[in-house]
Amino acid sequence: MSAHSYRFTHAICRLPGASIVQGLRAVDTGAPDLALMRAHHADYVAALRSTGAAVTVLDPLEDFPDAVFVEDTALCLPQGAVVMRPGAPSRLGEAAEMAPHLAAFYDEVARIEGPGTIEGGDILMCETEILVGRSARTDAAGIADLAGIVARWGWTLREVATPPGVLHFKTDCSLLDEETILSTRRLSATGCFDGYRVIDVADGEEAAANTIRFNDLVLMPAGFPRTRDRLEAAGYAVHEIGNSECAKLDGGMSCLSLRFSPPVKA
Ligand code: CIR
């Protein structure tokens, strides 16, 4: 197996800007502290780089308060990239901002043309299939558009459901390796991961479900010791990153990067 679902040569991140205090949030628990968020972001980028990956860090986009959450703007596959069409109106323009950066790595950059919407946070790229959770941000038309694009590259897309009241499908799950998913119990109980080995996050630690497997590391938000212990007991090399400020905007580990291994350009 190539492990293309978690072994990557590259990542793209974007620094948070001062406008982050206006970022979208389901429940207002206060504005994020920009200095602390920048410190957490620097730790995150350093952790990605520590695996040997080349990480591009883009400048802040002050016109788009949520632009630090680059994952929602694109899906990067071994064969090509797809520019998303975010369902949050304030985030629509972020996707176009990302397109030229993808074109630097990929000959083929497709895009979701609309009117459907789809955000990267609802897409779990597994080794042999792509799971997409329908959500308040990702609708049937957006999923159909993506299915058509990735079918050209030989991928099967399976539509699943993001739990009600949960922002994105991946808010509640992460891929750990070819056969293993970390999930909240409310999501794994739906049966959408049947056929996979599932590690449930500890009860009361649902916010730990959004991690990323990136090369040999599993990056997870700090502060969830029982889930961390479960991951370590299962043999994963866990690296904790502060996430207190992103969490105020419903963001986590996966949101902060696009992870990919681009084909060698012709
Ligand atoms: C939003 O509501 O769009 C942002 N505040 C958070 C986006 C998190 N992105 C992700 O989970 N992929």
Side-chain angles (χ1 to χ4, degrees), residues 23-25 66 69 71-72 88 91 119-121 137 167-168 171 210 249-252 254-255:
L24 298 172
R25 63 207 81 171
D66 286 293
F69 302 118
E71 173 180 67
D72 295 315
R91 303 199 60 192
E119 298 191 355
R137 301 279 182 90
L167 175 59
H168 287 131
T171 306
N210 181 266
L249 302 177
D250 310 317
S254 74
C255 326

Side-chain angles (χ1 to χ4, degrees), residues 27-176:
V27 177
D28 195 358
T29 58
D33 177 311
L34 179 59
L36 185 54
M37 189 186 273
R38 282 191 176 136
H40 291 160
H41 195 267
D43 291 345
Y44 180 91
V45 170
L48 298 182
R49 285 186 172 143
S50 77
T51 71
V55 183
T56 303
V57 181
L58 304 174
D59 288 337
L61 283 179
E62 295 295 354
D63 288 347
F64 298 100
D66 286 293
V68 68
F69 302 118
V70 288
E71 173 180 67
D72 295 315
T73 65
L75 175 66
C76 296
L77 295 173
Q79 300 83 2
V82 186
V83 179
M84 295 289 121
R85 190 161 185 278
S90 67
R91 303 199 60 192
L92 205 48
E94 289 176 35
E97 294 281 350
M98 185 56 72
H101 301 291
L102 298 170
F105 292 104
Y106 285 97
D107 283 331
E108 198 163 355
V109 180
R111 63 180 75 222
I112 304 294
E113 299 290 353
T117 63
I118 181 164
E119 298 191 355
D122 279 314
I123 304 173
L124 183 69
M125 189 186 139
C126 300
E127 195 65 17
T128 58
E129 63 175 346
I130 298 171
L131 304 190
V132 184
R134 206 183 306 187
S135 73
R137 301 279 182 90
T138 294
D139 62 18
I143 296 173
D145 274 4
L146 181 64
I149 293 167
V150 300
R152 298 204 306 258
W153 298 329
W155 284 90
T156 302
L157 184 155
R158 177 156 63 94
E159 182 178 323
V160 290
T162 297
V166 171
L167 175 59
H168 287 131
F169 184 64
K170 275 189 302 192
T171 306
D172 267 33
C173 66
S174 334
L175 183 92
L176 293 172

